[in-house]
Amino acid sequence: MSILKKLCTISLSAVMLAAAVGCAPKIRENEEEVDATMTQLYVANYDGGVGTEWLYDVEKRFEAEFAETSFEPGKKGVQVWVDANKTNYQGQSLISQISTLAQDIFFSEEINYYDYVSSGKLLDITDIMTEDLTEYGESRSIEDKMNDTQRSFLKNTDGKYYAIPHFEVYGGIIYDVDLFENEGLYFALEQNNGNQGFVLDKNDTRAAGPDGELGTYDDGLPATYDDFFRLCERMRLMGITPISWAGQYRSMQTSFLYCALHADYEGERNMLLNYNFSGTADNIVTSIGEDGQVTTKQVDISPENGYELMGQAGRYYALKFFEELIAGQYYSTLSFNDTQSHTAAQEDFIKGNNEGAPIGMLLDGTWWENEATISGAFESAETDYGQSAGKEARRFGFMPYPKATEEQIGDPLILVDKNYSYGFINANISESKVTAAKTFLQYCYTDESMQEFTKETGLAKGLDYTLDEDTLSDMTYYQQQLWQFRSTATVLTPCANSDIFKNNMSTLRYQISWEATVGNTPYNIPVNAMRNDGITALQYFEGMAISAEDWAAEYSRFF
C-alpha cells in the first residue's frame, strides 16, 4: 500500500507535541507565521557547494501538490520550513546533536551511515524505499533506482533502510574550453606537424584522448600523464598558469585528484577491495626501479591482510603525478597560500583571461560551477567584463583523467562518488508527522524532482534516472558535459556491506588515507611534503605502508 494511502493513527498527546514545536528555524519566503491548520515539516540542508535552491523548488511543488491532503487530524496541507546551514548539518557534528534538533528531515554529507543507524538516530524508511512510485506515474521504486552496491550497503542487517543517497560528486580537473580552443591547447592527430604536436588551428583534427577513440568528447585532451605535463609546459611558455586550487583547503582539494587518479588506475573491482576486503588485487607493488618501472603482483585480499591494499600501484601513480606537477612548478603560487579560499580560486579561474592572468585548469569538485554561482563569482565577472564573461556564455569542461601509462589508454573512466551524502528522517520525529515526512522525502526522489535537481545544480542525484533533451538544452555547457561523463563512465560507490568497513568508516575511507611517515616525520598532505621538504613520490608511497602488526592491532576483532 502506498505511503500516501496509509492511515496514520495518532494519539492526542502526539498531536499536542507536534503543535508545540517551537518557532520555525527559518522564516519562509513571503510567509511569516506558522499556520496551525497545516502540518509543519522542518527540513535541514547542509548548504555547501550544492546549495539549497533545489530544495526550495521541491518545497513549492510539494506544498502545491498536497495542499488538499490531510496528514494529521484536523489539518490540511503542509508548510515546509527549510533551514540551510553549513555548520551543524554535516557528519559527526550532526550525529552528536540530531536527537535534540527540531528538524524532521535532513539532507547532509560526510555521513558515517552505520554510526547513525547503530545509535538509533534515523527513522526506518523501508516502506518508501521499496514501494513503486505509481502515485507519480512511475513503475520503479527508489530501491530500484539504486545500484547493487548501494542496496547492499544501505540495507541494514535487520533488512531495513534508513537513508537514501542524496547527490553524487567527483573530484578532478576543470578546464577552460574557450581558452583551450582560442590558444590551441589541444593535441593534434598529426604529432609531427611542426607545432610540437598541438593543433594548428580550430579545424585541425585532434588526437584521441584517454578513451583511445577518435570522434569522442575527449579528443585533443591529454591521454597520459606525460601528455598532461607537455600541456602544462606549453601553457607556461605561453604565459598561462597551468593549474590552480584553493590554498586554504589544499589538503581537501588535492585529495580530490589523488583519489580520482588512484581509482581510475585501479578500476572498479580493484578499488572496491578497499571496502569489501574480499577478492584478488591485481596491482600490488613489489618494486619500483630507478627508471620508474613499476613491478606488481596479484594478492588475495581478506580482512586479515587488508593492509596490503596500501601498496596498490594506483596510489603510487597518483603521487607521482603530483610530484611532477610540483617539480615543474605548474601550479599557481596562491595554491599554497593559506588565505586563498575555494571561492577566490574559482573567481580567479573565471576572470583570469579577462584580467591578463589566464588559468588553464582548476582542481576542484564537480560542484564548483554551482558554488561559484552561489558565491556571485560569475555575476561579478559579467558585471566587470560584460555578458560574454558570464556563466551562460562561458564554456568549461570536466577533464577525463589522463592515464598513468600508455597501456591504460582506452580503459573505462572511473568516477568516485566521494561525499557520502544522504537524505534521511530524524528518529525523534513526532509520530503524527511520520507520514508527511516520508511522503516529502519520497517526493524528492521522483524522477521529476531528480531531474529538477540536476537542472538547478548541474549535479546528479546518486540514483538512476535520465534527462530529456529539453532539460539538457537549458543547462550550461559544463553541466551538459558533466552529465555526458556520468552517463558513459563507471560511477564507483565507495562502500560495501562488510563488517570491517561498516564499523570503521572514519578510518577506512580511502579518501583520507594519504598519511605517511617518512624518516620519522609524519605527513598528511603529499603536496606540502613534496614542495616544502622535497619528499619524492616513492618515499611518500613507501611511508604510507601499514604493517601487519598495526593492522591487526586496529582491526583484528573483525577477522
Side-chain angles (χ1 to χ4, degrees):
M1 181 182 295
S2 166
I3 187 67
L4 298 178
K5 297 178 180 177
K6 292 178 181 176
L7 296 177
C8 188
T9 304
I10 311 163
S11 67
L12 178 60
S13 61
V15 174
M16 293 176 64
L17 177 62
V21 172
C23 296
K26 178 179 179 181
I27 297 300
R28 290 149 45 88
E29 185 178 1
N30 301 323
E31 191 165 10
E32 296 183 354
E33 296 180 356
V34 170
D35 186 338
T37 68
M38 304 170 73
T39 293
Q40 309 299 316
L41 281 180
Y42 298 98
V43 183
N45 181 58
Y46 176 72
D47 190 35
V50 177
T52 306
E53 286 303 316
W54 66 272
L55 189 51
Y56 294 134
D57 293 341
V58 176
E59 167 205 315
K60 292 172 185 175
R61 287 194 297 108
F62 182 80
E63 289 178 340
E65 191 161 337
F66 292 92
E68 300 301 316
T69 302
S70 176
F71 288 105
E72 299 179 87
K75 297 187 177 186
K76 184 172 69 173
V78 185
Q79 284 182 312
V80 179
W81 300 81
V82 174
D83 184 25
N85 187 298
K86 281 183 96 168
T87 304
N88 300 322
Y89 299 149
Q90 184 191 44
Q92 293 306 106
S93 65
L94 175 59
I95 194 173
S96 65
Q97 61 177 323
I98 187 171
S99 298
T100 67
L101 297 177
Q103 282 75 22
D104 306 304
I105 300 166
F106 290 82
F107 293 95
S108 186
E109 61 181 60
E110 302 298 334
I111 297 297
N112 290 349
Y113 175 65
Y114 278 94
D115 288 352
Y116 281 75
V117 173
S118 62
S119 58
K121 306 295 186 183
L122 309 183
L123 187 74
D124 173 13
I125 57 171
T126 308
D127 50 356
I128 65 169
M129 296 289 286
T130 56
E131 66 185 18
D132 288 346
L133 299 172
T134 54
E135 299 285 345
Y136 306 102
E138 299 179 28
S139 60
R140 297 189 299 168
S141 66
I142 296 174
E143 182 182 50
D144 292 334
K145 298 179 184 184
M146 295 194 296
N147 62 42
D148 290 342
T149 301
Q150 291 169 325
R151 282 189 287 268
S152 174
F153 177 68
L154 290 175
K155 185 176 284 188
N156 191 30
T157 52
D158 61 6
K160 297 178 181 180
Y161 288 106
Y162 294 88
I164 312 175
H166 180 19
F167 59 78
E168 190 176 283
V169 291
Y170 337 111
I173 298 170
I174 296 91
Y175 67 103
D176 186 331
V177 174
D178 295 314
L179 181 68
F180 270 53
E181 288 200 356
N182 293 335
E183 301 297 338
L185 296 174
Y186 291 106
F187 289 96
L189 180 61
E190 175 52 60
Q191 286 290 287
N192 297 318
N193 62 357
N195 194 34
Q196 297 180 327
F198 289 88
V199 293
L200 296 169
D201 55 50
K202 293 181 180 181
N203 297 317
D204 202 357
T205 302
R206 298 174 185 173
D211 70 357
E213 299 181 17
L214 290 173
T216 60
Y217 62 88
D218 68 353
D219 283 4
L221 294 172
T224 63
Y225 290 5
D226 286 344
D227 287 344
F228 182 85
F229 293 113
R230 283 175 60 198
L231 172 64
C232 287
E233 184 62 21
R234 182 157 180 99
M235 286 183 179
R236 185 168 64 177
L237 292 173
M238 296 173 68
I240 300 169
T241 297
I243 193 166
S244 178
W245 58 81
Q248 190 174 11
Y249 302 107
R250 58 185 174 275
S251 173
M252 178 179 69
Q253 301 282 57
T254 54
S255 73
F256 294 162
L257 193 54
Y258 305 143
C259 301
L261 295 176
H262 174 201
D264 197 56
Y265 181 90
E266 294 294 340
E268 183 179 28
R269 186 186 62 77
N270 280 316
M271 277 307 301
L272 284 175
L273 294 174
N274 290 275
Y275 315 105
N276 60 37
F277 296 95
S278 178
T280 301
D282 294 326
N283 306 307
I284 302 301
V285 173
T286 57
S287 66
I288 300 174
E290 292 183 2
D291 60 355
Q293 183 67 36
V294 178
T295 304
T296 63
K297 64 179 178 180
Q298 290 187 329
V299 175
D300 291 332
I301 297 297
S302 66
E304 288 87 342
N305 70 339
Y307 59 89
E308 295 267 18
L309 293 167
M310 295 307 292
Q312 284 185 319
R315 294 185 194 273
Y316 169 72
Y317 280 116
L319 292 165
K320 187 64 177 176
F321 179 92
F322 274 92
E323 180 184 37
E324 293 189 39
L325 187 68
I326 298 302
Q329 298 183 0
Y330 295 127
Y331 52 87
S332 164
T333 55
L334 290 174
S335 296
F336 287 90
N337 187 323
D338 291 336
T339 65
Q340 190 208 37
S341 69
H342 53 300
T343 53
Q346 291 163 359
E347 186 163 352
D348 289 346
F349 178 56
I350 293 167
K351 290 184 173 182
N353 203 39
N354 294 102
E355 297 179 344
I359 299 171
M361 298 171 285
L362 176 71
L363 203 169
D364 209 327
T366 47
W367 59 82
W368 84 277
E369 188 184 70
N370 190 63
E371 191 168 56
T373 303
I374 296 169
S375 72
F378 279 109
E379 183 179 3
S380 176
E382 187 167 352
T383 299
D384 291 347
Y385 303 109
Q387 189 174 4
S388 62
K391 177 180 176 181
E392 300 304 320
R394 296 296 301 275
R395 293 187 301 165
F396 298 98
F398 187 80
M399 182 175 286
Y401 310 122
K403 303 299 183 181
T405 66
E406 289 188 359
E407 290 74 20
Q408 284 201 307
I409 294 175
D411 285 356
L413 172 66
I414 304 294
L415 299 172
V416 182
D417 179 13
K418 62 170 294 296
N419 268 32
Y420 294 94
S421 175
Y422 298 105
F424 45 86
I425 298 174
N426 197 337
N428 77 351
I429 188 173
S430 299
E431 183 182 352
S432 62
K433 296 200 292 182
V434 167
T435 298
K438 285 185 174 181
T439 302
F440 181 80
L441 185 60
Q442 186 183 59
Y443 189 81
C444 290
Y445 290 89
T446 62
D447 286 351
E448 180 182 5
S449 292
M450 293 194 294
Q451 290 160 357
E452 183 181 67
F453 175 89
T454 299
K455 184 176 179 180
E456 173 65 42
T457 67
L459 303 171
K461 277 287 198 177
L463 302 174
D464 176 53
Y465 61 105
T466 59
L467 296 182
D468 59 36
E469 289 302 319
D470 288 340
T471 299
L472 282 168
S473 66
D474 286 337
M475 294 164 61
T476 67
Y477 181 95
Y478 172 75
Q479 292 171 343
Q480 292 178 30
Q481 194 238 33
L482 193 59
W483 183 259
Q484 181 184 24
F485 259 51
R486 196 251 191 180
S487 302
T488 56
T490 297
V491 179
L492 185 147
T493 305
C495 58
N497 188 21
S498 63
D499 287 342
I500 186 172
F501 177 71
K502 291 192 300 184
N503 288 279
N504 298 280
M505 283 186 66
S506 61
T507 57
L508 292 179
R509 286 169 50 182
Y510 84 94
Q511 287 94 326
I512 60 175
S513 298
W514 293 89
E515 295 86 7
T517 299
V518 182
N520 296 320
T521 300
Y523 296 96
N524 57 20
I525 306 176
V527 291
N528 282 359
M530 293 171 180
R531 181 175 183 262
N532 299 335
D533 294 340
I535 302 300
T536 67
L538 178 57
Q539 288 173 320
Y540 203 98
F541 176 70
E542 292 176 339
M544 292 173 65
I546 299 174
S547 70
E549 293 75 19
D550 287 347
W551 181 266
E554 185 71 25
Y555 304 114
S556 60
R557 65 190 183 279
F558 299 102
F559 51 83

